[in-house]
Amino acid sequence: MLYEVVKFAAAPLAHAMCRPHISGAVHVPRSGPAILAANHLSILDSFLLPALLPRHVTFTAKNEYFDGNPVSGFFMRLGGSLPIDRESAHAAQTMLDSAAELLERGELFGIHPEGTRSPDGRLYRGKVGVAWLALKTGAPVLPVALSGTEKVLPVGSKVPRPARIGIAIGEPMRFEGDHTKARDRRRVTDEIMAAIQKLSGQEYVPTYAASFKAANGVS
């Protein structure tokens, strides 16, 4: 109920501030499970996408988004995002188990396979949690390309600003394989990232964004 109240209030604001151009919304199923796998340009991605789509979408978001910025923390809590401690493998698996339960109940789950916001607008290598979910649950994956969201809340800013954004949603992808096998998880993840890259037109970087940030002192 809280989610619906927040969405009712937030959707008009998001439309007014972001003037979104949305394509491919027809690919979002009216019912049943699906995984929205999106690129990650802004800390508000996990709020804007659910606010602008008709169905309830539960996203995962790192703990820092809840605690580090009061604006993002407010929106993440109201939107029902699942927090994740990126430094803890156990916490990550707990989050994936919770996501699998949501999908098995026929809900939509959103995830940023890059694991962290892109430091420079390029698309980075995906982590395999998205593949684990797809293979474990059999839910289709919808690749999603966001654009312009980094202008709504630039790095270091605490106040959102008007900026036009784009949301492109690709056709559902279904996969076969064993979620317990690393080779299958890697293959599926790479296919999903290739689909996101095709939609977004971003330059692809075959390394993890977190590793790039650590090596270059970027937060």
Side-chain angles (χ1 to χ4, degrees):
M1 179 63 71
L2 177 60
Y3 179 97
E4 297 303 327
V5 171
V6 172
K7 186 180 181 73
F8 179 80
L13 177 61
H15 276 279
M17 286 194 63
C18 303
R19 295 172 292 136
H21 177 268
I22 304 174
S23 63
V26 66
H27 298 312
V28 179
R30 294 185 178 182
S31 62
I35 300 166
L36 301 178
N39 60 340
H40 198 9
L41 300 172
S42 167
I43 63 175
L44 287 185
D45 290 341
S46 302
F47 167 75
L48 287 172
L49 191 56
L52 294 169
L53 292 180
R55 284 187 62 189
H56 185 152
V57 184
T58 299
F59 253 91
T60 179
K62 64 180 182 177
N63 282 341
E64 291 92 328
Y65 285 4
F66 288 83
D67 303 325
N69 183 303
V71 175
S72 64
F74 174 77
F75 286 126
M76 295 304 163
R77 289 184 178 87
L78 287 182
S81 296
L82 295 177
I84 179 174
D85 181 356
R86 295 184 305 172
E87 304 302 320
S88 169
H90 175 73
Q93 187 58 54
T94 298
M95 182 279 295
L96 288 174
D97 290 338
S98 296
E101 292 177 2
L102 286 171
L103 291 166
E104 288 166 359
R105 293 200 299 266
E107 300 183 29
L108 296 182
F109 180 72
I111 188 170
H112 299 295
E114 290 168 279
T116 186
R117 186 181 63 238
S118 172
D120 52 19
R122 297 185 293 176
L123 183 69
Y124 283 78
R125 192 183 197 208
K127 296 189 174 182
V128 299
V130 63
W132 185 94
L133 277 175
L135 294 173
K136 170 75 172 178
T137 66
V141 177
L142 306 182
V144 179
L146 300 164
S147 60
T149 59
E150 76 281 6
K151 299 175 183 177
V152 179
L153 191 67
V155 176
S157 176
K158 294 184 178 180
V159 180
R161 61 191 66 177
R164 188 171 179 82
I165 71 169
I167 300 174
I169 304 171
E171 295 182 4
M173 305 174 71
R174 292 186 179 274
F175 302 98
E176 294 183 358
D178 187 339
H179 73 282
T180 67
K181 293 184 177 179
R183 180 176 297 181
D184 284 350
R185 295 195 301 269
R186 184 73 263 162
R187 169 182 55 82
V188 169
T189 300
D190 289 344
E191 289 182 24
I192 293 169
M193 299 310 294
I196 295 173
Q197 192 279 329
K198 185 176 181 180
L199 285 172
S200 70
Q202 293 168 277
E203 177 185 348
Y204 179 72
V205 183
T207 190
Y208 294 118
S211 298
F212 179 90
K213 289 181 176 182
N216 293 275
V218 179
S219 59

